[in-house]
Amino acid sequence: MEEKRELETEEKIEQAETEAADQEEIREEAETEEAAEEPVNPEAEEEQASGPGEKKGFFRKKEKKDKKDEQIAELTDKVKRQLAEFENFRNRTEKEKSQMYTIGARDVVEKILPVVDNFERGLKSIPEEEKESPVASGMEMIYKQLMTVLTDLGVTPIEAVGQEFDPNLHNAVMHVENEDLGENIIAEEFQKGYKYKDAVLRHSMVSVAN
């Protein structure tokens, strides 16, 4: 009886072990099927395949893009600065050219003024009976033409006789007493003064009354 019981016990143990092995195989097969059914994440696979080294490469590309933007901004700033410098240079050059032209014109006109003075003296010295002569008429025509050219250039005579004395325009060389004129009024002009545009070329040489 005891041997029979031992045999039955051994058979039960073997049967239990077989059932446990069968259950383990079933569990493994089920896990394999679940793993096969899970959706694949390509980004996760790419990260796993690439590793931390590839992530650094991604950030390195971003850094390169930022450097390009910085270079573009730097070059744009340089171009703007150069354009501003060129504009300043052009304005300065035009101003200098204008000043040079003004200085040159003033120098030429100042040299012509004595010629104008001589024409005026010559016309005044012509006797009244000879003012209609061809020589006098020719001098008059040349004088008028010369004054027209000067006027076109921006040269104008300074008014003097009968005007109030202005030290910015007149140069007083004599003081006279004249009851017919008011105080500080120009009585006589010895040499005509001229202005070139708004600047005085030559002050009028005058005498001032009272």
Side-chain angles (χ1 to χ4, degrees):
M1 287 294 290
E2 291 179 358
E3 291 181 357
K4 187 176 179 180
R5 287 178 181 174
E6 289 179 355
L7 288 172
E8 289 177 355
T9 301
E10 289 179 356
E11 288 178 356
K12 288 180 179 179
I13 291 171
E14 289 178 356
Q15 185 177 359
E17 290 178 350
T18 302
E19 290 177 356
D22 292 340
Q23 289 178 357
E24 182 67 22
E25 288 180 0
I26 292 169
R27 186 178 65 78
E28 289 179 355
E29 288 178 358
E31 288 179 355
T32 303
E33 289 178 357
E34 287 179 0
E37 290 176 357
E38 287 181 357
V40 179
N41 188 351
E43 293 181 357
E45 287 185 356
E46 186 177 350
E47 288 181 359
Q48 291 175 0
S50 60
E54 291 295 328
K55 287 184 179 180
K56 290 182 179 178
F58 173 75
F59 288 112
R60 196 176 298 118
K61 288 181 181 178
K62 190 174 182 181
E63 287 178 1
K64 287 183 179 179
K65 186 177 181 182
D66 293 339
K67 285 182 179 179
K68 286 182 179 179
D69 292 338
E70 289 177 0
Q71 289 177 352
I72 291 171
E74 185 178 352
L75 291 173
T76 303
D77 184 63
K78 285 182 179 179
V79 170
K80 289 180 178 180
R81 288 177 181 272
Q82 289 178 349
L83 288 174
E85 289 176 359
F86 176 74
E87 185 68 21
N88 292 334
F89 170 75
R90 186 175 65 178
N91 293 336
R92 187 169 60 251
T93 303
E94 290 178 355
K95 186 176 180 180
E96 289 175 354
K97 284 171 64 178
S98 177
Q99 289 176 346
M100 289 175 63
Y101 174 80
T102 301
I103 292 171
R106 283 174 58 96
D107 186 56
V108 172
V109 172
E110 285 176 354
K111 291 179 179 178
I112 293 175
L113 291 182
V115 179
V116 176
D117 295 338
N118 289 331
F119 261 103
E120 291 177 347
R121 293 191 189 100
L123 291 172
K124 286 181 181 179
S125 65
I126 298 174
E128 192 67 30
E129 63 273 10
E130 295 182 7
K131 284 187 177 180
E132 300 298 327
S133 65
V135 174
S137 298
M139 287 181 63
E140 184 72 25
M141 289 175 62
I142 294 171
Y143 173 75
K144 287 181 179 179
Q145 185 178 8
L146 182 59
M147 293 306 297
T148 300
V149 172
L150 291 176
T151 302
D152 292 340
L153 291 174
V155 180
T156 54
I158 296 173
E159 295 184 7
V161 177
Q163 302 294 318
E164 185 177 0
F165 176 76
D166 184 353
N168 296 316
L169 302 175
H170 311 122
N171 180 23
V173 296
M174 186 180 297
H175 180 77
V176 297
E177 296 293 335
N178 191 333
E179 295 179 356
D180 296 332
L181 298 175
E183 186 177 355
N184 215 31
I185 299 299
I186 297 173
E188 187 178 358
E189 182 182 55
F190 302 110
Q191 187 180 56
K192 189 176 291 185
Y194 291 91
K195 289 196 299 184
Y196 175 66
K197 296 182 179 178
D198 294 329
V200 176
L201 276 175
R202 188 176 72 184
H203 292 76
S204 299
M205 191 180 296
V206 299
S207 66
V208 183
N210 306 322

